[in-house]
Amino acid sequence: MAMVKCLVCGATFEEGADVCPVCGVGAENFISYAEEEVTFRRDTDEKFVIIGGGPAAKSAAEAIRQRNREAMITIVTQEAYLPYNRPMLTKGIVTDFGYNVLAVEGEEWYLQNNIFFMANTTVLKIDTDAKLIDVQLQDGGKGGVVYDKLIYALGAYCFVPPIPGHDLPHVVSVRSIADTERVRKIIEERKASRAVCIGGGVMGLEGAWGLKNGGLDVTVLETAPGLLPRQLDDNASAMLEDICNNAGVHIVTGAKIAKITEDAVVLEDGTEYEAQLVIMSTGMRPYTKVAEDSGITVDKWVVADSGMRTNVPDVFAAGDCITVNGQPQAFWAQAVATGRVAGANAAGDDLEYEKLGSSLVMEVCGTSVFALGTNGKDPDREFRAVEKMDQEAGLYEKYYFADDRLEGVILVGDISKMGEMTERIAEKAAYRDMFD
């Protein structure tokens, strides 16, 4: 069966799908994809243990099994579910997709590949000398898992700022299936008609749009002076804000939040926004505590080299808890790629991670947004920019050049050039080749 690759999230799957099963974008964002040929093979009776249950874990397990048909592979995760598509959670925040729709692979895939899955299991500490992982089981009991090779892929958790009231029962951060189930329960039990999303990043805006589509009146409170300031320039940010407001999602930027009450979010100036449901979308933090406690080097993120090796022999790392050569790897496509390299090298192969750009792609409030590379805000650099804007139609294109080479692209409304521009940035296209 022919394969395709999604340019948005990097997922690969069989040709013929109308939408990406991971991020939900349409088939116009797919390109043909040839699976890599695995030439390395070494069958052993080693025990490979992967801690974490996200895309990096699944990718690592697959890479190991492609190279070693005899080894024991175990995935240890806190969740009750096999790895699933987290990006879909905020997109359909009030929609009960069901686990089978969200799963990256069904249970049969793990059975066919003889991959053992330890669900509802919390990793407490790793004894890297004894190669023993201390875990806590669902019933509260303690246990140990031995390994020969370990892949650390514990991912990230939602950062919740200490706003008074952040721990009230109607305040939720969305990171798991259980979180979306809680959102639906709150809406039902509180007969919620109004919601506030604190944070106007990708997840906050997607969650807000999902709630709006679910029939709620929604306000987004963003502390920054504009939406997505790290990815968009000021004009694109302002256009996106207008589009969201016109679509019925109320955007408030520069919001200084004082507290959350039982039925509102209150700003420092006394303004109150009624809310029976509050979604906290205030950023992610890498889960590094187990690494720190186990002697694995951490510098805000778990430190890995380009082969996903840590400072500890036989311990590899992957996913959005790591940094590679000082660069965090917090996107789905990066998690999949780092997991593949970690698994391959743990099995004895010698792969190098090819850096993937951290692009922004989202569809909210009836529009699409794409951004890759610089947004022109670096005060120490000079940029030449080409801008095309149609405010009435909600269309925006911006191209940033440095030293005559394309280094940044922002598209709003029509992102059909996304694939082409991704290639143009990769090849550092010259200004004259694009606009002269």
Side-chain angles (χ1 to χ4, degrees), residues 67-146:
R67 293 160 175 82
N68 190 329
R69 300 305 301 176
E70 302 297 329
M72 180 177 180
I73 303 174
T74 303
I75 295 176
V76 181
T77 176
Q78 279 186 291
E79 290 206 62
Y81 304 98
L82 297 166
Y84 58 90
N85 299 321
R86 292 187 196 277
M88 292 298 290
L89 294 176
T90 48
K91 290 178 173 64
I93 193 169
V94 296
T95 304
D96 186 1
F97 290 112
Y99 166 71
N100 289 334
V101 174
L102 293 173
V104 178
E105 294 284 357
E107 186 177 0
E108 286 185 6
W109 184 87
Y110 295 88
L111 292 173
Q112 290 170 358
N113 286 281
N114 195 25
I115 296 170
F116 182 60
F117 189 73
M118 289 183 65
N120 301 304
T121 303
T122 302
V123 175
L124 302 174
K125 191 173 181 180
I126 306 162
D127 184 336
T128 56
D129 291 326
K131 293 190 173 182
L132 176 67
I133 306 166
D134 294 329
V135 300
Q136 181 172 304
L137 307 177
Q138 184 178 17
D139 61 7
K142 301 292 179 63
V145 180
V146 297

Side-chain angles (χ1 to χ4, degrees), residues 7 19 28 137 150 157 173 250 268 286 355 360 398 434:
L7 288 170
V19 297
E28 67 275 10
L137 307 177
L150 172 67
Y157 63 93
S173 295
H250 183 209
E268 290 182 1
K355 181 181 176 183
L360 159 72
K398 192 69 165 280
M434 293 183 64

Side-chain angles (χ1 to χ4, degrees), residues 415-434:
I415 64 171
S416 58
K417 295 180 181 178
M418 179 181 69
E420 177 190 352
M421 290 304 113
T422 300
E423 293 178 355
R424 291 279 196 164
I425 286 182
E427 66 191 21
K428 296 188 179 296
Y431 175 90
R432 63 181 177 275
D433 294 336
M434 293 183 64

Side-chain angles (χ1 to χ4, degrees), residues 5 37 88 92 120 180 193 221 225 233 298 302 336:
K5 180 177 181 178
E37 182 180 358
M88 292 298 290
N120 301 304
T180 58
S193 61
L221 302 179
D233 60 17
V298 171
V302 177
V336 171

